[in-house]
Amino acid sequence: MSTTQELHDLPAQYDPGQTERAIYERWVEAGVFAADEKRSSRNGGDREPFVVIMPPPNVTAVLHMGHGLNNTVQDVIVRWRRMAGDETLWVPGTDHAGIATQNIVEKQLAAEGKTKFDLGREAFVARTVAFVEETGGEILRQLRAIGASADWNRTAYTFSPELSRAVREAFVQLHERGLIYRGHRVIHWCPRCLTSLSDEEAQHGEEVGSLYHIAYRIVGAKDHSSVVVATTRPETLLGDVAVAVHPDDERYKKLIGRSVMLPIANIEIPVIADEYVDPAFGTGVVKITPAHDPNDFEVGMRHQLPMPVIMSPDGTMGNGADAGSRVPPDLLGIDRFEARERIVRSLENSKQLEKIEAHQHSIRHCYRCDTVVEPRLSDQWFVKMEPLAKPALEAVRVGTIRILPERWEAVYVNWLENIRDWNISRQLWWGHRIPVWYCDKCSKQIVSRTDVVACESCGGPVRQDEDVLDTWFSSWLFPISTLGWPDKSAAPLVAFYPTDDLVTAPEILFFWVSRMIMAGYAFMDAPPFHTVYLHGTVRDMNHVKMSKSLGNGIDPLDVVNSYGADALRYTVVAGMGMGADLMLDHRDLERSFAPGRNFATKLWNIGRFLLANVGTSPVRSVDELRVDELTLADRWILGRLNATIVESDAALGPPRPTKGKWRREERYAGLRLSEFAEAARRFVWNDVADWYLETTKGRIGAGSADSEVARAVLTHVFDHALRLLHPIMPFITETLWQRLPFPVAAERGEFLATAPWPIAQSSSRSETSALAGFDILREAVSAIRQIRSDYGIAPGKSIEAFVQSRSNAALFADHARLIGQLSRSTVTIGSAGSDAAAAHSVLSDGSEIIIPLGGVVDIAKECGKLRGELDQLETQLEALSKRLRNEGFVSRAPAPVVESERKKEEEWIKRRGQLAAKVKALCGG
RNA sequence: GGGCGAGUAGCUCAGUUGGUUAGAGCGCCUGCCUUACACGCAGGAUGUCGGGGGUUCGAGUCCCUCCUCGCCCACCA
């Protein structure tokens, strides 16, 4: 007899490091991940297309657990659909990430003691291009390590020539439709990044600040009286052009039309009336600073007030447009926060500071550098959003698009209903230059798809707009631009648009997801996808979001190196409820990823058992096995397989909506990936490994007809388990599947990755009676095991068990040997036939298991132990009952405590009965 | 200020339309290196299902209310 090792070439321990890379290479070489336009049914092909567009990571990003989670989810879905027979495409790509990338290069320059201005625009952009070429795209290579099955031939980049063309086309088209305009208004300005930001890029943060009450003297008042305004930003008072009160506010009615003296700047400004003022807040008097506050800007427009800018782009005080010399010389060039303090001190000195109140309010911060943003009057390009939002809103409302988990749909709808115009120009150097040219001679403005060299009207010299577009103005086109838009007849676009699922984090629902939906309707007149799957965030054990800067991150590549990509993937998928955050311990990777690693090992060992026992010669096809050849266990496991396939399909749900719209009953039912993972795990571990595999021991090597049946069924069952698990654990399942013996006549594909997804079948082989019958046998085995454990019967000690049954006598008789094998006992059907001490257990069908204990356990010793236990229980029970009957206890204790104590009493009484019976049986009267 | 979500075993979470004894993984306890697997096997313990009230024959599940966390949105200076 040869050893296990010689029967097959599987090492005792699974070593992912050795196998994963090689398997990945083979997949790529064989073109497993490549999608073919011609096979798409939309192009006359024979397969339904299934498409996922990868949320492009920043081109300079390094893989972190967030990417790991995001791309694992996508890969599970994509691999599932590929096996299910769809023409499956997963488009990978990166984002040039305007501000983020520019900031990195600026930091590098700073380290060299330089600024971008030392280089100049052209050289700076060239340097950034070089930096991106050198470091960029590394993250996509890293994604291969976790098994991402993207079509790398189609890797996109938001700043590539093709996608840049799409960006220009989108801009020009929207401009032609009157949806892009130049706006003069107050926008969010980051004084550190020196650029304007969209509303979404200026993120709220609650802070406790101060509300300063400042007295403005009333001009011409005999008693030197004043009005008091309340402000959180005293430095902006230099830009005040009025103070406003509510028109109906009796306190101030008589002041309307008069003037007050603006402190520090010493300018007379009018008192105006405007509905915008809330008389109940602060003093009911508001300083109006149109150039530095969006509300004040509106007031300024209504009252046709001047709009002086009193701050420089870098956040220092400075006299800008229309400011004259409002900022006094000693404040010029002083940072806004320092200026605030100086102005407050100065007001204190002049007795114009009435008081300072603590005040909680929210302040907006730059989403890239966290600097407090400054509202600032400037000229920017805007997209008119309301017309674009309309179809996007409708799509979710009617179910053309679903968002999972469901609760995000309300958030989405709420945002779109209150949508505001999108500031798309950025005062950066890294990005798509705005395709607008201005003629120096006739000041004509030219918006063009192609570069303009001379004015189309007068032939004069032109210069292009200095600004670049918001990064999101290129990524919102990703689903269409990566497939060939603006060429609407491009083969990929025809074959693969609309796409199917979009998988991302809720943080970019507004930045990206909703805008993609708008772009889809605006440029293709069709939604970009039908499903938005929003997953949670990866956090540490303290629920703090993982991040490099906090040092609480996990490098997915560390996990891959230590435990394998499959362990990472399984852990992530199984541990993450729909939309729920994922907690991982960065200080204990072994514990964090134990679920995945342990399960991979389990699979490996089942594989080893199978190869050692089934061997490699072809097996019979399960389809040709006759029912009368199958054992009860065979039929049971085939039934369990069927049930598992059904459960898995239910958890994954329908891949696409029927007739273009999600029906209510299926809309929120699918993509429950953790339930899918759990169903598959339960089948493999609790059914196949714990029970079925054990039943084949002893019959599989017998060389009989029955052993051929066992070989066939075990192989079939494991083959299908591997198929189910492949989307989650692609590497180990492929490795094992490659070595599986196959049915003689079966056509075996080259890869599990493209093997057909299991299909549940209604078959007499797996009827429910087999399930029920085998479950009773399992109960019997468990009962015997429990008794063995209860009485401390050594595993090596053979014992005899009797089964008494009326309803299932034949079943037990037929499977006495099997029960014995699984419980390490000799099982006899019928009465124990003596009054000797015995352990009893009743099964759910009324059958009784009896195990005589004489000669197996030391009766005297066991009796002593049991009596001791019974005595202790009696004492405890007595005390408890006494306490419960005691009035004081009942009245003092809270009702639930009393309730639980009563429950406990009941339980103890029950246990006392059981123990007493046990003592009586074992020790006699 | 508006909206949403969560609170179930020590930890992370499942618990579909209310229905038998509330589950899983990790951790814990006991016994086992039983020739696929100690990254394992067998057995076991642990739950005022956030508090209170209500509807119901029956509620972790529905309604009201309170408490505690978290998220999103927001132009009250």
Side-chain angles (χ1 to χ4, degrees):
Chain A
M1 183 75 195
S2 45
T3 67
T4 296
Q5 284 302 319
E6 287 162 333
L7 284 171
H8 60 80
D9 58 351
L10 283 190
Q13 196 83 28
Y14 175 53
D15 179 7
Q18 227 168 23
T19 44
E20 290 183 348
R21 190 179 290 270
I23 293 171
Y24 196 90
E25 288 305 316
R26 286 185 54 203
W27 283 329
V28 171
E29 277 164 30
V32 166
F33 308 155
D36 182 353
E37 289 95 22
K38 290 189 289 299
R39 293 201 68 167
S40 163
S41 56
R42 293 180 195 149
N43 247 347
D46 58 345
R47 293 173 161 192
E48 285 234 55
F50 187 88
V51 185
V52 172
I53 304 284
M54 180 187 293
N58 287 359
V59 64
T60 59
V62 181
L63 192 72
H64 57 61
M65 270 314 291
H67 299 119
L69 170 76
N70 177 251
N71 288 284
T72 295
V73 170
Q74 291 177 78
D75 199 46
V76 170
I77 295 170
V78 160
R79 283 181 184 269
W80 162 51
R81 292 319 304 167
R82 187 178 291 122
M83 291 176 77
D86 290 344
E87 190 58 28
T88 303
L89 168 62
W90 185 13
V91 180
T94 52
D95 193 304
H96 69 285
I99 304 183
T101 306
Q102 173 155 339
N103 281 353
I104 293 171
V105 176
E106 280 187 46
K107 245 179 227 161
Q108 290 179 348
L109 287 176
E112 298 164 20
K114 284 187 269 187
T115 71
K116 62 177 175 175
F117 300 106
D118 295 331
L119 269 71
R121 183 164 190 155
E122 223 171 292
F124 180 83
V125 170
R127 176 163 175 152
T128 308
V129 168
F131 173 67
V132 165
E133 269 171 13
E134 189 186 311
T135 62
E138 175 61 23
I139 187 162
L140 296 183
R141 283 188 286 281
Q142 293 175 321
L143 284 180
R144 291 165 166 86
I146 64 167
S149 63
D151 188 348
W152 302 109
N153 303 322
R154 299 176 193 260
T155 302
Y157 175 45
T158 52
F159 212 5
S160 69
E162 298 80 17
L163 270 64
S164 299
R165 181 175 158 236
V167 166
R168 267 202 190 181
E169 178 67 30
F171 186 98
V172 176
Q173 268 196 32
L174 291 176
H175 186 263
E176 285 167 353
R177 287 194 240 167
L179 295 177
I180 282 189
Y181 65 94
R182 188 87 169 140
H184 180 68
R185 68 178 65 159
V186 173
I187 43 77
H188 305 292
W189 179 269
C190 176
R192 207 224 54 87
C193 299
L194 295 177
T195 179
S196 68
L197 300 170
S198 65
D199 293 337
E200 292 69 38
E201 289 170 320
Q203 299 187 326
H204 288 278
E206 286 283 320
E207 276 171 36
V208 178
S210 301
L211 191 58
Y212 301 88
H213 292 248
I214 302 166
Y216 287 25
R217 293 198 177 101
I218 298 165
V219 175
K222 314 182 254 322
D223 54 357
H224 291 90
S225 62
S226 53
V227 292
V228 178
V229 303
T231 180
T232 53
R233 296 188 296 150
E235 69 278 12
T236 64
L237 71 78
L238 295 171
D240 288 2
V241 295
V243 296
V245 297
H246 194 275
D248 303 331
D249 193 333
E250 294 298 333
R251 292 172 294 177
Y252 304 116
K253 246 182 176 167
K254 52 187 181 301
L255 288 177
I256 297 167
R258 295 186 62 175
S259 296
V260 295
M261 183 60 72
L262 183 60
I264 309 212
N266 292 316
I267 301 169
E268 266 188 48
I269 55 174
V271 179
I272 61 171
D274 197 285
E275 301 271 346
Y276 152 70
V277 180
D278 175 4
F281 185 88
T283 59
V285 185
V286 185
K287 59 193 268 313
I288 300 298
T289 322
H292 296 279
D293 184 284
N295 299 309
D296 294 5
F297 174 77
E298 296 297 325
V299 175
M301 292 295 282
R302 281 198 285 278
H303 297 265
Q304 295 173 332
L305 299 169
M307 302 190 175
V309 174
I310 48 91
M311 220 179 270
S312 303
D314 64 356
T316 63
M317 306 308 291
N319 287 308
D322 301 329
S325 54
R326 282 169 163 259
V327 180
D330 58 324
L331 284 176
L332 283 173
I334 302 296
D335 180 79
R336 53 191 167 146
F337 297 117
E338 169 68 18
R340 176 180 300 174
E341 282 175 34
R342 292 198 193 184
I343 287 174
V344 168
R345 252 181 315 206
S346 160
L347 291 169
E348 243 168 343
N349 292 338
S350 61
K351 302 270 188 299
Q352 283 175 285
L353 187 69
E354 295 275 316
K355 63 171 171 179
I356 303 174
E357 274 179 335
H359 178 61
Q360 191 176 10
H361 59 147
S362 80
I363 295 179
R364 288 185 184 250
H365 298 256
C366 172
Y367 86 133
R368 296 291 9 159
C369 71
D370 207 38
T371 301
V372 174
V373 302
E374 199 61 37
R376 182 180 176 81
L377 183 64
S378 70
D379 294 301
Q380 307 288 341
W381 290 98
F382 290 87
V383 178
K384 202 167 171 212
M385 296 302 269
E386 213 208 304
L388 298 178
K390 245 182 162 170
L393 204 45
E394 189 67 4
V396 169
R397 281 194 175 135
V398 303
T400 310
I401 297 174
R402 64 173 177 175
I403 302 178
L404 304 174
E406 184 184 355
R407 64 189 135 92
W408 286 104
E409 288 187 351
V411 177
Y412 171 91
V413 166
N414 186 267
W415 186 74
L416 283 179
E417 280 175 342
N418 300 295
I419 191 122
R420 286 183 293 165
D421 286 354
W422 176 16
N423 169 15
I424 52 169
S425 42
R426 297 288 175 277
Q427 288 64 46
L428 302 171
W429 287 353
W430 180 241
H432 300 95
R433 195 91 174 252
I434 288 174
V436 176
W437 285 260
Y438 307 97
C439 176
D440 282 334
K441 211 160 137 197
C442 68
S443 66
K444 186 180 169 59
Q445 174 186 301
I446 306 155
V447 178
S448 171
R449 289 175 174 79
T450 52
D451 285 356
V452 177
V453 288
C455 177
E456 55 192 21
S457 309
C458 69
V462 294
R463 65 201 152 70
Q464 189 173 3
D465 195 300
E466 293 293 320
D467 293 348
V468 301
L469 288 160
D470 183 359
T471 285
W472 301 100
F473 194 87
S474 54
S475 34
W476 78 325
L477 304 173
F478 219 57
I480 60 176
S481 61
T482 55
L483 296 176
W485 191 87
D487 177 3
K488 282 198 173 182
S489 59
L493 198 61
V494 173
F496 298 125
Y497 190 91
T499 75
D500 291 271
D501 294 355
L502 181 88
V503 178
T504 191
E507 292 106 88
I508 54 177
L509 182 60
F510 304 141
F511 278 117
W512 193 48
V513 180
S514 51
R515 285 176 183 155
M516 277 192 289
I517 296 172
M518 291 188 249
Y521 282 105
F523 302 115
M524 289 295 293
D525 209 21
F529 30 72
H530 55 66
T531 296
V532 176
Y533 178 100
L534 299 175
H535 57 241
T537 307
V538 186
R539 300 177 183 277
D540 68 15
M541 297 317 277
N542 297 319
H543 296 199
V544 178
K545 185 174 174 170
M546 282 192 179
S547 81
K548 204 161 59 177
S549 53
L550 289 177
N552 64 346
I554 292 176
D555 183 347
L557 298 179
D558 285 347
V559 180
V560 168
N561 289 333
S562 304
Y563 313 113
D566 292 326
L568 171 88
R569 295 166 61 112
Y570 178 84
T571 301
V572 160
V573 171
M576 190 189 55
M578 170 80 72
D581 291 344
L582 180 70
M583 314 304 166
L584 295 170
D585 190 346
H586 62 285
R587 290 156 313 183
D588 191 349
L589 294 189
E590 176 156 5
R591 189 176 158 176
S592 286
F593 294 94
R597 184 198 56 172
N598 295 355
F599 188 42
T601 303
K602 194 71 189 179
L603 277 175
W604 187 253
N605 283 304
I606 296 171
R608 287 178 65 218
F609 173 87
L610 190 144
L611 291 177
N613 291 283
V614 173
T616 50
S617 57
V619 298
R620 290 176 66 188
S621 162
V622 161
D623 294 332
E624 67 177 34
L625 296 175
R626 295 187 319 276
V627 176
D628 64 286
E629 289 183 288
L630 299 172
T631 65
L632 182 66
D634 293 334
R635 289 192 291 151
W636 173 77
I637 198 65
L638 289 171
R640 282 293 307 133
L641 170 61
N642 233 1
T644 303
I645 296 170
V646 171
E647 276 178 72
S648 300
D649 284 342
L652 289 166
R656 50 182 72 81
T658 43
K659 292 185 211 140
K661 269 188 195 140
W662 288 102
R663 287 178 310 183
R664 264 187 62 192
E665 63 273 23
E666 61 188 24
R667 184 162 177 173
Y668 305 110
L671 296 180
R672 297 178 336 257
L673 302 185
S674 59
E675 288 178 39
F676 162 51
E678 173 56 19
R681 189 205 66 86
R682 207 168 36 228
F683 176 67
V684 166
W685 202 316
N686 300 357
D687 297 339
V688 174
D690 288 351
W691 291 98
Y692 182 70
L693 188 144
E694 295 296 331
T695 73
T696 67
K697 287 179 179 173
R699 75 169 170 134
I700 203 162
S704 61
D706 178 59
S707 68
E708 283 305 306
V709 174
R711 287 181 73 228
V713 174
L714 182 59
T715 304
H716 175 85
V717 158
F718 194 52
D719 169 24
H720 282 74
L722 293 177
R723 289 174 200 239
L724 286 173
L725 280 165
H726 182 262
I728 302 174
M729 311 177 86
F731 293 107
I732 194 168
T733 53
E734 183 76 79
T735 306
L736 292 169
W737 193 82
Q738 293 285 338
R739 295 156 205 256
L740 235 46
F742 258 69
V744 187
E747 258 190 60
R748 178 203 179 110
E750 198 184 347
F751 292 106
L752 175 58
T754 48
W757 184 249
I759 294 170
Q761 40 210 313
S762 51
S763 157
S764 58
R765 293 165 207 286
S766 55
E767 82 280 37
T768 48
S769 72
L771 294 175
F774 196 76
D775 282 343
I776 285 296
L777 298 187
R778 289 201 302 162
E779 259 192 72
V781 170
S782 293
I784 298 171
R785 283 174 179 170
Q786 193 183 328
I787 289 167
R788 295 192 67 122
S789 179
D790 278 359
Y791 289 94
I793 302 166
K797 182 111 183 160
S798 70
I799 60 166
E800 189 169 32
F802 292 86
V803 180
Q804 283 185 340
S805 175
R806 256 161 295 186
S807 53
N808 283 316
L811 178 77
F812 285 117
D814 287 348
H815 295 91
R817 270 192 62 187
L818 181 61
I819 301 172
Q821 177 194 329
L822 297 175
S823 63
R824 298 168 165 274
S825 312
T826 306
V827 174
T828 307
I829 309 303
S831 167
S834 89
D835 56 356
H840 296 253
S841 183
V842 179
L843 306 184
S844 64
D845 71 336
S847 308
E848 197 181 359
I849 304 284
I850 305 145
I851 297 177
L853 296 172
V856 176
V857 296
D858 182 335
I859 304 270
K861 202 171 136 199
E862 194 63 29
C863 280
K865 220 170 88 188
L866 287 172
R867 286 208 171 98
E869 238 176 274
L870 187 58
D871 283 349
Q872 199 192 343
L873 187 64
E874 301 265 19
T875 316
Q876 286 176 337
L877 185 57
E878 202 179 323
L880 178 66
S881 303
K882 212 164 154 188
R883 245 190 314 150
L884 272 169
R885 282 192 303 273
N886 183 308
E887 286 294 317
F889 172 80
V890 173
S891 62
R892 252 183 287 123
V897 172
V898 176
E899 192 50 46
S900 82
E901 295 284 290
R902 283 199 204 288
K903 237 168 132 184
K904 201 189 264 176
E905 186 190 26
E906 269 177 48
E907 273 171 31
W908 284 3
I909 289 171
K910 206 169 131 193
R911 220 171 102 203
R912 181 180 61 180
Q914 290 172 343
L915 256 179
K918 213 163 158 186
V919 168
K920 196 178 166 196
L922 189 63
C923 321

